[in-house]
Amino acid sequence: MSTVLVVDDEPQIVRALRINLSARGYKVITAHDGTAALRAVAETKPDVVVLDLGLPDMDGTEVIEGIRGWTLVPIIVLSARGDSSDKVKALDAGADDYVTKPFGMDELLARLRAAVRRSTASAGEDVDAVVETGTFSIDLAAKKVRKDGAEVHLTKTEWGVLELLVRNRGRLVAQKQILHDVWGPTYETESHYLRVYLAQLRRKLEPEPSRPRHLLTEPGMGYRFEL
């Protein structure tokens, strides 16, 4: 039985999806806002997420970005927003598919079946939503870091570097890849950026910044995150 998380604040949509999906053998979990959705993804690890963009507490694209911080679970956007710019924004944030309301149930079910197949094929590629070290924890879904019980403020760039390393923990991430993914393709030779930002991250997170345990440098090659 595949599990589908339905994220929508319209009760009639949630009810229709629950009835139709349950009748076809899916286990259905629901969330009515973005905060509950992120929590549900972390706790239940669904096979597919069906997500509305117009949520009461945050925009759906923020939910997509939060989910994509740690998992590759397929995300089908189900939204009344039909403008191409909204579709592009959602897909760029990490959505796999986009269905515009009002929608045909048969079409949605076909897209859902395809998403379940992708989910099965990519099983095992996710990491835990919360990564714990001896002194700090990283919540990839909420995009937050806590050290000794207190939240640590990271800039958007610092978070981008840390997230990339944590998602590839235990593996060397080349300097060029970090620069490309965090700063963009025109910065692939700016290795001094990395030295500056890794030093900042170590000062904020490592117990002994001069002797890092978790944010490690592989001289001339790249960086690696270890628990």
Side-chain angles (χ1 to χ4, degrees):
M1 180 185 292
S2 297
T3 299
V4 181
L5 171 62
V6 175
V7 186
D8 202 306
D9 64 337
E10 296 182 52
Q12 63 272 30
I13 295 289
V14 173
R15 183 174 181 274
L17 288 174
R18 184 191 290 279
I19 291 171
N20 280 276
L21 296 178
S22 297
R24 289 163 175 81
Y26 293 100
K27 178 181 178 181
V28 181
I29 300 169
T30 63
H32 300 288
D33 60 34
T35 302
L38 291 172
R39 183 169 60 250
V41 172
E43 292 175 354
T44 67
K45 294 182 169 57
D47 297 292
V48 184
V49 177
V50 177
L51 172 72
D52 182 28
L53 294 181
L55 300 173
D57 60 339
M58 65 177 76
D59 192 80
T61 54
E62 295 179 78
V63 179
I64 296 170
E65 290 168 353
I67 293 172
R68 281 290 170 262
W70 67 280
T71 177
L72 298 176
V73 60
I75 301 170
I76 300 175
V77 170
L78 186 61
S79 178
R81 301 179 190 174
D83 190 84
S84 61
S85 63
D86 290 314
K87 294 181 180 181
V88 169
K89 188 176 179 181
L91 293 169
D92 282 346
D96 296 271
D97 206 344
Y98 197 109
V99 179
T100 304
K101 296 178 182 178
F103 59 94
M105 189 60 70
D106 287 342
E107 178 189 359
L108 178 62
L109 289 167
R111 292 175 186 250
L112 194 63
R113 288 192 295 271
V116 169
R117 289 195 295 271
R118 291 196 297 274
S119 179
T120 303
S122 64
E125 295 181 17
D126 296 343
V127 298
D128 293 333
V130 179
V131 178
E132 300 271 0
T133 73
T135 53
F136 62 92
S137 65
I138 305 145
D139 188 329
L140 292 166
K143 296 184 180 291
K144 292 182 179 179
V145 179
R146 299 184 70 85
K147 180 180 179 182
D148 300 327
E151 187 173 337
V152 179
H153 172 72
L154 298 183
T155 67
K156 183 177 180 180
T157 302
E158 288 171 344
W159 172 260
V161 173
L162 181 65
E163 179 186 35
L164 182 58
L165 294 176
V166 171
R167 290 191 65 185
N168 290 278
R169 67 179 183 265
R171 299 196 292 265
L172 174 69
V173 184
Q175 293 180 0
K176 186 175 181 179
Q177 180 185 342
I178 302 173
L179 289 163
H180 180 280
D181 290 359
V182 177
W183 280 273
T186 60
Y187 291 85
E188 290 181 356
T189 61
E190 307 292 340
S191 59
H192 61 284
Y193 281 29
L194 289 178
R195 290 193 293 273
V196 170
Y197 278 88
L198 262 296
Q200 292 173 186
L201 284 170
R202 286 168 179 152
R203 281 195 297 271
K204 291 182 178 183
L205 301 179
E206 294 279 7
E208 296 180 71
S210 61
R211 299 174 62 188
R213 302 177 189 174
H214 309 291
L215 296 163
L216 307 178
T217 301
E218 299 287 349
M221 294 187 292
Y223 297 87
R224 182 164 45 90
F225 178 84
E226 293 287 355
L227 290 178

